[in-house]
């Protein structure tokens, strides 16, 4: 393995760029596909985005989820075709062209020509494709852009025709008139799910209008309330609720008589004359100035301005005739301008009387149809054109945009004496998600799919699918299906897949094309493109004979949602190609998109697959939440309230962004407030510790070579499993648990459980295994043990990298490429490897014991912090209290040395008598029991709190107890262990803390015998800091010299003598007195320290220096001191590491025969020469 730099110098983004280049070099993605092509197919449907805008965090999130799942499936033995798709048709594209060409009206498009308009649309469809590919590739996602699909491709469009034709043949398509949400900005109706995408709080006019009742003795008027005055010119009926009570009332001041619902009387104006106002006139500004929802709420008391003349039922009003506000539809007088009744009329706002304009309201249309105000099949007069302007039918407001006409209409009502009340209301109103213009309700002729007829099958198919999280399926999507309405799939637009419907002039003959071949056969015309401008001219001879003329295509195109819903068939050109591939693998295995697609793509997929095959389109689905700006608002380019994705990736790396997004609430379909600092947190808390563990492995593997041992080659897993080291056993078992858990959860598509588990595992690897095994990994316990520890760390890192590869594809590849150099793996990329299998038996006992050990260490550290006892201060004793004897055996046996070393405690005492150091008390869990027990909670709580020590122990053993007839389990009662201080000890002498499972007790009393050990730790700490300050690598060998700066040096000498072995183990070499430092030593660092635990000293670091036994060397040359001098000069000129390696290779001997005119001699290590001052010093001391 090659050496690696420090974490602070490791650039994650730059390394990712190198990996991208490497993947491109070896064609990593293409190779993965070829390696798995013989394996079972895993079908993934990629929802097509529009390429008219740049990708944002929502796209990156969904793309990351898709990439993780598809990478995982590839590594677990599946062939996963991944083709990028583009949504090319529809309003988003047309809207861009309308802006570019300043198109305001439909006629402008017809004037310029559909061919020119459509080619303009085609020209911008792929405008941002290169940017998309750059960003998506940079995020690490593997997907095929070269073999992508586009909804404007001929083959795709032909399959869309086939889908429609199949549904038509099943009798599930009809042409009808329907009031739909209509965008005047885009000049087209919208689906209900499109119309619900963009609600805004806006002010709108609200008016109460009088409708004089014909032949009423008191000249009364019905009063109706509306927030759409522009619909009043098209008024045809009034609707009441037959079950409501209505009042005929007279205003005491104006003497006007009105009819309103009894519960809505308070909404009427009081018309009371104002004081000091001449002639009793009304201040119209005050009358018209109303707060939000002024006609929408009920007042506490009925206004005293009105006297009740008559009380009547709603049913009694049905059939009464009245005068309409305008005469534009007077030809309907025989059937219109009468009262009808329906339960959709409510009394939570308005007057309890609703004005109906059937061309501009869904309920209006239904009610007027049911009451024969209008007739089914009769051409409904829609007095508003495609641009949202009144037609010539509405003479006074012709060509005026409806929303702009509100003010003039109100003025006209006022002049006619029909305006009862006017004002402004703030309410949530739907807007077109593309043009941002207010939507209106407008009756349009359209082609519909009978979704309502499919409802039961849709609900049944939904049950067959698996969603993460499941509440989106069970609640949101189920409710949407439950209330599904027939789907208008046609649009009176231009850039889209044309409806394949040809109709005769008399409307009697309809031909629906299901293929290009059929169109060519029937028309005799060669077809090369299916867009409107290339097929609108094609006619078909009538099958009834020439006298019936020809069939022409209807003008409409498909709703682009119909195209994306057809994607599972159209992207592989089914049924014209890939029949076996499709039929063997439908429904698809997996889809993933955002929460908004429950009413979009997920819905259209389900509707079309149910209509075609009676099946759901997919088996598994992950639904993510929305990524919001840091302030909780929607991310907005204009507001610039979020950092550009590519900037964050360039700063922290794509892996960090991926992990930040995946390890957040957004994967559970909850919103995420994106914070750049959160991405940095992932680098700091996850990747750097992970990198440091890997770097520690590489450094210590290289150290073996530096010290002259054989190069590191990892020991095979079967041999490692036999290791007697407890932490080797633990990390092996923990790795098996990791693999088992990740496979289980990934198979369940629960990414939100996988990531926290992986992160916890990496944390345990760095903070338990590496930290507690530093001596072994550094070779302080012998070469063989070092190789076992390094091999264990190597194997664990390799397995965890493979497990993390789908989530963090770049970083795992970086590690794998270096680690594979010491193994015989054939795979060029980690993503070509198989996902790890759980092998061998997991040791749950040791996993639990180590988890408890870490809890003990944390609890003991908390006690130290509370009493200001730093870890450098040794403590005499700790007691571990727990009832589990097996655990106590582990903690007092094989785990003992790790606990004592981590906590700097001299002895550990296990205790399974839980009452020796603790008193038990029981507390009822009110949050659990409150709802269940209700009024019995009080008496049960009293009995629980009164439980004795013995009864609590019995309860813990049996797992249940009964109080006042209620059986309580372990989850219902909290057992609290209060520390019971040993007799004769003060508060500062002994302290304890626990977590409800284990109790840790620390003896905090000072002990003179521990003083030396504490100072030794301080000295070691200063040495380590000086090494770091001197920019030394852990593998850099130096000698450490100590110089006491105290007048009385006896204390420091005593400490160095008594703690000699500890210091040597900690720093990897003996601590030498400064007096033995050679004059020619090469110093690398020096620092003085004062008042450290009462002593002052200086530390010097120097490169290892040779020490010669001059007498022995002179003897080699038979007393020739000149030869001896030249030999010493030669040895001093040699590279120290190479010289050391030569001695090791020669088993402590080397022959020097290269000095000119000096005879060859054999040198013996530690007889003629010492490689370090430390070796010489220790040898001299021992002798």
């Amino acid at each position: 393995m090659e050496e690696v730099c420090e974490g602070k110098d490791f650039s994650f983004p730059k390394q990712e760029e190198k990996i991208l280049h490497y993947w491109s070099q070896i064609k990593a993605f293409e190779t993965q596909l070829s390696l798995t092509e013989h394996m079972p197919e895993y079908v993934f449907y990629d929802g097509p985005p529009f390429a008219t805008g740049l990708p944002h965090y929502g796209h990156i999130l969904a793309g990351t989820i898709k990439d993780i799942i598809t990478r995982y499936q590839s590594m677990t033995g599946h062939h996963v075709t991944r083709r990028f798709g583009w949504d090319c048709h529809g309003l988003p594209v047309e809207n861009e062209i309308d802006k570019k060409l300043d198109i305001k009206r439909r006629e402008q498009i017809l004037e310029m020509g559909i061919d020119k308009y459509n080619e303009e649309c085609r020209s911008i469809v792929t405008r941002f494709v290169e940017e998309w590919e750059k960003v998506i590739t940079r995020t690490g996602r593997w997907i095929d852009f070269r073999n992508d699909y586009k909804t404007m491709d001929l083959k795709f469009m032909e399959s869309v025709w086939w889908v429609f034709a199949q549904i038509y043949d099943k009798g599930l398509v009809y042409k009808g008139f329907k009031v739909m949400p209509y965008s005047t900005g885009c000049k087209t109706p919208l689906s209900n799910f499109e119309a619900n995408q963009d609600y805004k709080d806006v002010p709108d006019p609200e008016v109460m209008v009088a409708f004089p009742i014909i032949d009423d003795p008191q000249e009364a008027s019905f009063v109706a309330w509306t927030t759409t005055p522009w619909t009043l010119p098209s008024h045809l009926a009034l609707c009441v609720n037959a079950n409501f009570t209505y009042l005929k009332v007279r205003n005491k001041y104006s003497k006007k008589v009105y009819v309103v619902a009894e519960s809505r009387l308070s909404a009427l104006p009081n018309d009371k004359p104002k004081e000091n106002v001449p002639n009793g006139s009304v201040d119209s500004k005050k009358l018209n100035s109303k707060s939000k929802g002024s006609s929408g709420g009920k007042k506490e008391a009925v206004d005293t301005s009105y006297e009740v003349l008559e009380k009547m039922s709603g049913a009694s009003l049905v059939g009464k005739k009245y005068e309409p506000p305008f005469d534009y539809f007077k030809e309907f007088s025989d059937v219109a301008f009468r009262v009808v009744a329906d339960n959709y009329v409510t009394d939570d706002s308005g007057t309890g009387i609703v004005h109906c304009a059937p061309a501009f309201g869904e309920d209006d249309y239904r009610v007027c149809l049911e009451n024969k105000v209008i007739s089914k099949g009769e051409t409904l007069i829609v007095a508003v054109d495609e641009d949202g302007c009144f037609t010539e039918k509405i003479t006074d407001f012709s060509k005026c945009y409806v929303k702009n006409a509100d003010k003039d209409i109100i003025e006209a009502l006022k002049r006619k004496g029909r305006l009862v009340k006017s004002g402004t209301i703030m309410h949530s109103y739907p807007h077109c998600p593309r043009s941002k213009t207010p939507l209106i309700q407008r009756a349009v002729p359209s082609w519909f799919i009978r979704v309502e007829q499919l409802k039961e099958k849709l609900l049944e198919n939904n049950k067959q699918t698996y969603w993460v999280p499941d509440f989106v399926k069970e609640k949101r999507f189920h409710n949407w299906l439950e209330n599904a309405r027939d789907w208008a799939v046609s649009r009176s637009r231009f850039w889209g897949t044309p409806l394949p419907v040809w109709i005769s002039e008399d409307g009697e003959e309809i031909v629906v094309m299901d293929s290009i071949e059929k169109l060519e056969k029937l028309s005799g015309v060669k077809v090369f493109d299916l867009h409107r401008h290339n097929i609108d001219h094609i006619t078909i001879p009538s099958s009834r004979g020439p006298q019936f003329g020809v069939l022409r295509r209807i003008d409409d195109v498909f709703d682009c949602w119909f195209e994306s819903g057809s994607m599972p068939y159209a992207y592989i050109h089914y049924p014209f190609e890939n029949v076996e591939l499709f039929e063997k693998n439908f429904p698809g295995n997996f889809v993933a998109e955002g929460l908004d697609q429950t009413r979009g793509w997920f819905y259209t997929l389900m509707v079309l697959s149910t209509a075609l095959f009676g099946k759901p389109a997919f088996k598994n689905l992950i639904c993510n939440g929305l990524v919001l700006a840091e302030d909780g608002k929607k991310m907005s380019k204009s507001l610039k309230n979020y950092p550009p994705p590519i900037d964050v990736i360039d700063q922290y790396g794509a892996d960090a962004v991926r992990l930040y997004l995946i390890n957040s609430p957004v994967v559970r379909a909850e919103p995420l407030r994106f914070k750049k600092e959160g991405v940095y947190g992932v680098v700091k808390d996850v990747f750097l510790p992970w990198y440091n563990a890997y770097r520690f492995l590489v450094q210590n593997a290289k150290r073996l070579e530096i010290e002259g041992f054989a190069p590191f080659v990892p020991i095979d897993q079967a041999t490692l499993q036999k290791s007697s080291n407890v932490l080797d056993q633990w990390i092996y078992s923990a790795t098996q648990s990791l693999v088992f858990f990740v496979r289980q959860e990934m198979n369940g598509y629960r990414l939100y459980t996988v990531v926290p588990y992986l992160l916890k595992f990496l944390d345990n690897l760095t903070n338990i295994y590496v930290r507690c095994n530093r001596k072994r990994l550094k070779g302080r316990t012998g070469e063989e043990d070092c190789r076992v520890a390094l091999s264990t760390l190597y194997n664990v890192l390799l397995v965890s990298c493979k497990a993390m590869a789908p989530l963090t594809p770049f970083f795992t590849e970086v590690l794998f490429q270096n680690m594979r150099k010491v193994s015989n793996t054939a795979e060029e990329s980690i993503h070509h490897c198989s996902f790890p299998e759980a092998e061998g038996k997991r040791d749950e006992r040791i996993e639990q014991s180590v988890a408890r050990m870490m809890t003990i260490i944390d609890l003991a550290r908390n006690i130290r912090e509370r009493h200001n006892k730093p870890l450098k201060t040794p403590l005499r004793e700790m007691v571990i209290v727990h009832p589990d004897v097996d655990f106590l055996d582990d903690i007092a046996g094989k785990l003992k040395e790790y606990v004592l070393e981590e906590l700097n405690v001299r002895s550990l005492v296990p205790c399974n008598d839980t009452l020796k150091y603790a008193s038990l008390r029981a507390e009822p869990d009110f949050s659990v029991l409150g709802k269940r027990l209700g009024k019995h909670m009080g008496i049960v709580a009293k009995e629980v709190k009164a439980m004795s020590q013995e009864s609590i122990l019995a309860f813990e053993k049996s797992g249940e107890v009964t109080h006042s007839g209620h059986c309580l389990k372990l989850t219902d009662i909290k057992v609290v262990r209060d520390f019971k201080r040993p007799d004769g000890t003060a508060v500062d002498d002994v302290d304890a803390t626990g977590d409800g499972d284990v109790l840790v007790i620390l003896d905090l009393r000072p002990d003179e015998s521990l003083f030396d050990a504490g100072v030794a730790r301080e000295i070691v700490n200063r040495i380590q800091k000086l090494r770091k300050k001197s920019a030394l690598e852990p593998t850099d060998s130096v000698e450490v010299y100590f110089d006491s700066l105290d007048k009385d040096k006896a204390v420091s000498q005593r400490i160095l003598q008594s703690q000699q072995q500890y210091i040597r183990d900690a720093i990897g070499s003996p601590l030498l007195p400064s007096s033995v430092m050679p004059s020619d030593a090469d110093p690398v660092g020096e620092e003085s320290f004062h008042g450290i635990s009462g002593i002052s000293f200086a530390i010097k670091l120097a490169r290892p220096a040779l020490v010669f036994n001059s007498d022995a060397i002179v003897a080699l040359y038979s007393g020739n001191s000149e030869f001896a001098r030249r030999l010493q000069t030669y040895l001093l000129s040699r590279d120290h590491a190479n010289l050391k390696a030569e001695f090791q290779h020669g088993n402590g001997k080397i022959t020097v025969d290269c000095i000119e005119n000096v005879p060859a001699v054999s040198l013996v290590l530690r007889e003629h020469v010492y490689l370090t001052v430390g070796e010489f010093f220790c040898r001299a001391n021992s002798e």
Side-chain angles (χ1 to χ4, degrees), residues 5 92 146 229 330 379 423 451 512 772 997 1004 1107:
C5 63
R146 303 283 77 79
K330 58 186 175 184
T379 304
V451 176
V512 176
C772 294
D997 175 47
L1004 302 167
V1107 178

Side-chain angles (χ1 to χ4, degrees), residues 121 274 280 454 608 615 690 724 788 795 837 872 928 998 1099:
C121 289
K274 305 297 178 187
L454 296 170
L608 294 185
K615 299 177 181 178
W690 189 2
S724 60
V788 170
N795 279 289
E837 297 274 2
K872 300 185 198 79
V928 175
V998 63
I1099 298 291

Side-chain angles (χ1 to χ4, degrees), residues 533-690:
H533 56 292
N534 289 315
I535 65 166
D536 278 2
H537 65 282
I538 298 176
T539 59
I540 298 169
S542 172
S543 61
R544 296 173 292 171
Q547 69 272 26
F548 289 95
V550 295
L551 281 68
R552 300 183 188 278
R553 198 193 71 81
I554 61 173
D555 287 344
D556 293 356
V557 298
F558 280 110
D559 169 12
C560 61
W561 287 103
F562 187 91
E563 296 177 325
S564 57
S566 301
M567 173 266 166
Y569 331 105
Y571 89 112
I572 54 172
H573 198 212
Y574 178 83
F576 309 101
E577 297 180 66
N578 301 303
V579 174
E580 185 181 356
L581 172 67
F582 174 78
E583 293 179 356
K584 276 187 175 179
N585 298 287
F586 186 80
N589 295 93
F590 172 63
V591 294
E593 294 295 341
L595 191 61
D596 52 334
Q597 295 303 326
T598 50
R599 296 178 177 183
W601 192 50
F602 301 155
Y603 175 71
T604 59
L605 283 174
M606 183 69 82
V607 167
L608 294 185
S609 66
T610 300
L612 287 170
F613 304 109
K615 299 177 181 178
F618 52 84
K619 296 174 185 175
N620 305 290
L621 183 152
I622 295 179
C623 184
N624 61 264
L626 300 179
V627 184
L628 305 174
E630 189 172 346
D631 58 6
K633 294 178 182 175
K634 192 175 179 181
M635 288 187 171
S636 165
K637 288 180 193 172
S638 57
L639 293 176
K640 295 182 179 177
N641 60 351
Y642 66 95
I646 207 71
D647 289 1
V648 179
I649 289 171
D650 286 343
Q651 186 172 359
Y652 298 118
D655 277 347
V657 173
R658 287 168 67 110
L659 215 54
Y660 170 71
L661 291 172
I662 294 303
N663 192 33
S664 76
V666 81
V667 189
R668 299 190 297 274
E670 297 170 20
L672 165 69
R673 293 187 177 195
F674 186 90
K675 296 181 181 178
K676 191 176 175 182
E677 296 75 22
V679 182
Y680 168 68
V682 170
V683 174
K684 180 171 64 74
D685 300 332
V686 179
F687 286 103
L688 281 175
W690 189 2

Side-chain angles (χ1 to χ4, degrees), residues 55-320:
H56 51 66
Y57 288 104
H59 294 120
I60 292 172
L61 167 64
T64 298
I65 292 170
K66 295 169 189 176
D67 191 53
I68 289 170
I69 295 297
T70 52
R71 283 180 182 275
Y72 171 75
Q73 293 296 335
S74 293
M75 292 179 76
T76 52
H78 297 93
H79 181 254
V80 189
T81 302
R82 282 154 275 178
R83 291 172 59 199
F84 206 82
W86 301 103
D87 218 339
C88 303
H89 290 144
L91 290 181
V93 182
E94 290 197 21
N95 196 40
E96 289 281 325
I97 295 302
D98 289 351
K99 287 178 187 173
K100 176 184 173 184
L101 303 179
D102 195 31
I103 291 172
K104 304 291 185 188
R105 292 175 295 104
R106 183 182 181 86
E107 284 76 13
Q108 291 175 268
I109 298 171
L110 299 173
E111 286 165 10
M112 76 176 286
I114 296 175
D115 56 341
K116 292 185 177 67
Y117 183 80
N118 275 355
E119 290 308 323
E120 283 280 355
C121 289
R122 194 196 299 269
S123 71
I124 70 158
V125 162
T126 56
R127 182 171 57 189
F128 292 121
V129 165
E130 285 186 17
E131 285 84 351
W132 270 82
E133 184 172 353
K134 177 187 172 186
V135 173
I136 298 302
T137 302
R138 184 61 189 84
T139 63
R141 187 178 177 194
W142 278 4
I143 194 158
D144 190 351
F145 281 97
R146 303 283 77 79
N147 188 31
D148 58 0
Y149 72 88
K150 297 181 180 72
T151 59
M152 68 179 183
D153 291 342
L154 182 65
K155 289 183 176 182
F156 193 99
M157 294 170 74
E158 184 179 25
S159 289
V160 172
W161 274 19
W162 175 85
V163 170
F164 181 78
Q166 295 298 303
I167 297 172
Y168 181 87
D169 290 345
K170 290 173 183 280
L172 293 171
V173 175
Y174 69 94
K175 186 183 181 185
F177 228 146
K178 195 163 188 178
V179 177
M180 297 180 64
Y182 186 88
S183 168
T184 57
C186 294
K187 304 159 192 60
T188 187
L190 303 181
S191 302
N192 284 314
F193 43 85
E194 290 175 297
N196 284 322
Q197 287 180 2
D198 190 12
Y199 269 80
K200 295 177 183 174
D201 287 335
V202 293
D204 264 328
E206 59 165 349
V207 293
M208 283 187 186
V209 182
F211 297 79
I213 303 169
I214 295 173
D215 298 330
D216 185 82
Q218 284 94 15
E219 296 183 350
S221 297
F222 293 117
V223 179
W225 173 75
T226 181
T227 59
T228 54
W230 65 267
T231 61
L232 287 166
S234 300
H235 171 87
L236 289 183
L238 287 175
C239 190
V240 298
N241 191 312
N243 301 311
F244 287 178
T245 297
Y246 288 80
L247 300 178
K248 182 185 283 188
V249 296
R250 178 187 286 120
N251 186 282
K252 294 177 182 178
Y253 307 103
S254 69
K255 305 304 180 184
K256 292 177 181 177
V257 180
Y258 300 132
V259 175
V260 295
E262 181 179 31
S263 58
R264 298 303 306 159
L265 176 59
S266 59
L268 288 175
N270 58 30
D271 283 352
K272 187 176 181 179
K274 305 297 178 187
E275 292 181 16
N276 301 323
V277 178
N279 303 321
S281 62
V282 177
D283 185 339
S284 62
K285 286 185 181 176
K286 290 188 178 178
L287 177 64
N288 293 343
S289 175
K290 284 181 277 297
S291 61
K292 180 179 177 181
S294 60
S295 294
K298 296 179 183 177
K299 296 180 184 176
E300 291 182 10
V302 175
D303 201 310
T304 56
S305 299
Y306 291 90
E307 63 173 312
V308 177
L309 303 179
E310 188 180 344
K311 186 179 285 193
M312 62 208 82
S313 68
S316 69
L317 297 175
V318 173
K320 285 189 178 293

Side-chain angles (χ1 to χ4, degrees), residues 880-1089:
I880 309 298
V881 184
H882 199 277
D884 186 341
V885 176
D886 287 341
F887 164 62
L888 291 178
D889 286 347
D890 288 342
I891 210 73
K894 46 195 175 184
L895 293 172
K896 180 178 177 180
E897 63 172 299
Y898 300 110
V899 177
L900 296 180
E901 184 173 352
E902 277 297 305
L903 294 173
N904 195 14
V905 177
R906 287 293 165 263
S907 69
L908 185 153
V909 178
C911 174
N912 68 343
D913 181 357
T914 55
L915 296 181
K916 183 175 181 181
Y917 294 99
S919 58
L920 306 183
R921 57 186 172 87
E923 291 283 348
D925 192 331
F926 287 91
S927 63
V928 175
L929 293 173
K931 290 181 182 177
R932 199 169 90 211
L933 300 183
K935 62 182 181 181
H936 302 289
M937 184 68 217
I939 186 140
V940 170
K942 189 175 180 182
E943 291 183 14
V944 168
K945 289 179 178 179
M947 287 174 70
S948 66
Q949 305 271 312
E950 292 73 19
S951 60
I952 293 173
L953 288 172
F955 163 65
E956 285 190 311
K957 189 174 182 180
S958 67
E960 62 179 47
V961 67
T962 301
H963 287 294
S964 297
H966 298 279
C967 181
L968 306 183
K969 304 288 185 182
L970 290 170
T971 52
D972 300 324
I973 298 176
K974 295 176 183 175
V975 176
V976 182
R977 287 174 164 79
D978 295 318
F979 175 50
K980 190 165 65 179
R981 197 175 305 283
D983 294 339
T985 59
V987 174
D988 293 334
D989 290 347
V990 179
D991 200 1
T993 192
D995 66 343
D997 175 47
V998 63
L999 184 69
V1000 176
I1001 303 162
L1002 277 185
D1003 187 338
L1004 302 167
R1005 286 171 289 190
D1007 187 331
E1008 197 61 40
S1009 65
L1010 302 178
F1011 174 77
D1012 289 2
V1015 178
R1017 276 210 171 215
E1018 294 284 4
I1019 293 171
V1020 167
N1021 176 261
R1022 298 312 189 278
I1023 293 169
Q1024 303 292 24
K1025 285 182 177 177
L1026 182 56
R1027 279 186 65 98
K1028 199 167 186 180
K1029 189 176 177 181
S1030 304
L1032 292 171
E1033 294 289 332
T1035 50
D1036 288 340
S1037 181
V1038 291
E1039 302 207 79
V1040 186
Y1041 297 92
F1042 179 92
D1043 184 15
S1044 173
L1045 303 178
D1046 297 320
K1047 287 183 180 178
D1048 181 6
K1049 304 184 187 303
V1051 175
S1052 59
Q1053 286 175 356
R1054 186 193 77 233
I1055 292 168
L1056 296 185
Q1057 187 66 34
S1058 67
Q1059 302 298 314
Q1060 182 181 24
Q1061 192 58 46
Y1062 163 74
I1063 295 172
R1064 182 169 186 163
D1065 289 344
I1067 66 174
S1069 64
L1071 183 59
L1072 304 169
S1074 58
S1075 58
V1076 301
M1077 184 174 175
S1079 58
D1080 58 352
D1082 180 11
V1084 293
E1086 180 177 354
E1087 191 170 353
S1088 297
F1089 305 95

